[in-house]
Amino acid sequence: MSQASSWEQSLDYSNRANPYPFYAELRKTPVTRLPDGTYVVSGYAEIASLLHDPRVSSDINRNPAAVAAGAAAGDNGDGPGMSPTFLSMDPPDHDKFRRIAMRHFGPPTTPGRVAGLEPRMTEIVTDLIDNMAGRRRIDVVDDLAYPLPVTVICELLGVPPGDEHRFRVWVDVAVQSTDPGLDPETQQKKRAEAGAELRSFMEELVEAHRKAPGNDLLSAMATDDGPEGRMPAEQLVSTGLLLLIAGHETTVNLIANGALTLLRHPHELQRLRNDPGLAIPMVEELLRYEPPVHFVPFRTALDDIDVAGTIIPAGASFTLLLAAGNRDPAHVTDPDLFIPDRRNNQHLGFGGGVHLCFGAPLARLEAQIALTEFASRIENPRLVADPPSYRPSPFLRGPSHLPMDIDGIAGKEHDRAALITIADAGRIPDPPC
Ligand code: HEM
C-alpha cells in the first residue's frame, strides 16, 4: 500500500475504530507527499520540530488547501462564520489575543481559576453518576463524557443553563464539516449554515454580558481594558465560540476514549479503583495512546523546510498527524501498548509550540475526575459493543455512543483527597514549549 493511500484509508470511516495500522504505514516515511501536492507529517520528532518552527504558519488565509476548501476567512475563519481566532493566527497577533484571553483563565493574572473549579466538577460528576442509579445500561458518552465538559465550559464562559441544546446541533454540523472525506462544496455549505447560527448566538451572549457582567470568562473579556486593550468585538465573538467548541468537543472524546480503554484493560481499571492517584499519569497516557485530536491540518511552510530529508516547499500546505507521532517507536517503546506507568507527558495530545492547547489544565482535571469516579462507582461495567460506533470526524476522533451494561452504582465514599494529595506529590511537569 502506498503512503498516500494509507492516508486515505486512515480517513475512511470504515477504519475509524482503528486507524493506527495506517499511521504505522505512513510513518515509514515521516513526511509523505500526497497527490494533491500537500504533505502529511507522521514522525514524532518531525512533528515536534515543526510545531516549534517559526517558518511554519497557522494562518489559514495563507494556506492554499484551506482557501480551496473554503476554510479561510471570508467563508469564514477557523470556525464556521467566524473571523479567525488566535488558533489560526501567527505571532505577534496570535500572542496578543491569546494573552488577552488567557489573562482571565490562568496564571499569572488569574491563578486558581481552573483549580477552583474542581469541587464543582466533582459535584457535576457525582450528580451524573447518581442519575444512573437503578439502570442496568448506561451510555458513557450521553451520561457522562458529554454533559461534564459542556456544563463546565458553559459555566466558565457564562452561557446560561438550558442554552446548550441551542448550540449542540450547530456544533455537530460544524465538526462534521471538518471531515476531509467530504467534498469541499459540501464542507463549505455545512460550515456556512452552522456558522451563521452560532455566530448570532454568541453575539447575543456577548452583548448580554457586556451590559450585565457576571463572574465569568465572557464578561471578563467583554469588559476588561487590560494592558493590551480590549479584545475587538469581532474577535471576542470568535474567541467565545472557539472556547465553547474547543472546550468540550475534545474533552468528550478524552473521557469516552478513556472509559473504552479502561474496559479493554480491566487490570488498569481495577488499579485506578484502588489508587485514584493513578488518574494523573493515566490521563497523560490516554492523550498519547487515544488522543482526542488526531491531526492539525492547514499548516503552511513559509520557506523551504527540510524535514527528515524531504523538502516541504515554501507555500505548501501540510498536516501534522499528532496521533501517529504519539505512537512512533522512536519516541516510546511498545507504542501500541497502553501503559499508564510511563509517566510521559511529552506526548502530542495537546499539540505544542505557541499553539499548545490553552485549555489543557481544564481538560486534564475533568478527565481525571470523571475517570476516577467512573472506576470507583460503576459496578462491573461491560461493553455492549467493541468497537463502539464512532463520530464521523477523523480529526476529532471518539465514540458517538459508548453503551455499557452495569450491575449498579456504588456510593460515593471514596476519597477524593487521595487524588489531590497524590496529584500534588506526583505532578508531572508541563512539557517545554
Ligand atoms: C482533551 C481535551 C483537549 C485536547 C485533546 C485539545 C487539543 C488541542 C490541540 C492539539 C491544540 C493545538 C491546535 C493547533 O496547534 O492548531 C489545541 C489548541 C487549543 N485548545 Fe485545546 N484541547 C483540549 C481541550 C481544550 C479546552 C477544554 C479548551 C478551552 C477551555 C481548549 C482550547 C484551546 C484553544 C483556545 C486552542 C488554541 C491555542 C492557540 O492557538 O494558542 N482546548 N487544543
Side-chain angles (χ1 to χ4, degrees), residues 216-334:
D216 57 75
L217 211 51
L218 270 186
S219 297
M221 289 194 293
T223 54
D224 174 48
D225 296 308
E228 293 180 279
R230 191 173 292 195
M231 198 178 265
E234 272 279 295
Q235 194 51 226
L236 185 53
V237 170
S238 300
T239 304
L241 282 175
L242 170 66
L243 295 177
L244 183 63
I245 298 173
H248 75 277
E249 279 300 316
T250 45
T251 315
V252 175
N253 291 342
L254 181 58
I255 297 170
N257 289 338
L260 174 63
T261 304
L262 285 175
L263 262 72
R264 287 173 173 168
H265 297 82
H267 173 65
E268 301 300 343
L269 178 63
Q270 187 56 47
R271 286 183 66 209
L272 180 60
R273 204 171 274 144
N274 298 338
D275 174 11
L278 190 62
I280 289 129
M282 187 173 273
V283 166
E284 297 311 306
E285 175 67 346
L286 281 169
L287 284 156
R288 181 196 73 79
Y289 178 78
E290 283 284 23
V293 178
H294 269 227
F295 53 85
V296 290
F298 301 143
R299 290 297 213 261
T300 315
L302 298 178
D303 202 347
D304 288 357
I305 305 177
D306 183 341
V307 189
T310 300
I311 303 289
I312 301 184
S317 170
F318 60 91
T319 294
L320 298 173
L321 191 45
L322 307 175
N326 276 339
R327 290 195 183 206
D328 187 339
H331 169 54
V332 282
T333 48
D334 295 326

Side-chain angles (χ1 to χ4, degrees), residues 67 276 414:
V67 171
H414 96 269

Side-chain angles (χ1 to χ4, degrees), residues 354-397:
V354 296
H355 294 281
L356 180 75
C357 179
F358 175 104
L362 184 71
R364 283 187 165 115
L365 192 57
E366 288 181 55
Q368 288 161 7
I369 294 172
L371 292 175
T372 307
E373 297 288 325
F374 171 83
S376 79
R377 296 194 58 203
I378 309 288
E379 292 182 343
N380 191 21
R382 282 107 51 206
L383 286 172
V384 171
D386 191 6
S389 59
Y390 274 80
R391 304 167 79 195
S393 173
F395 147 64
L396 298 179
R397 176 181 166 276

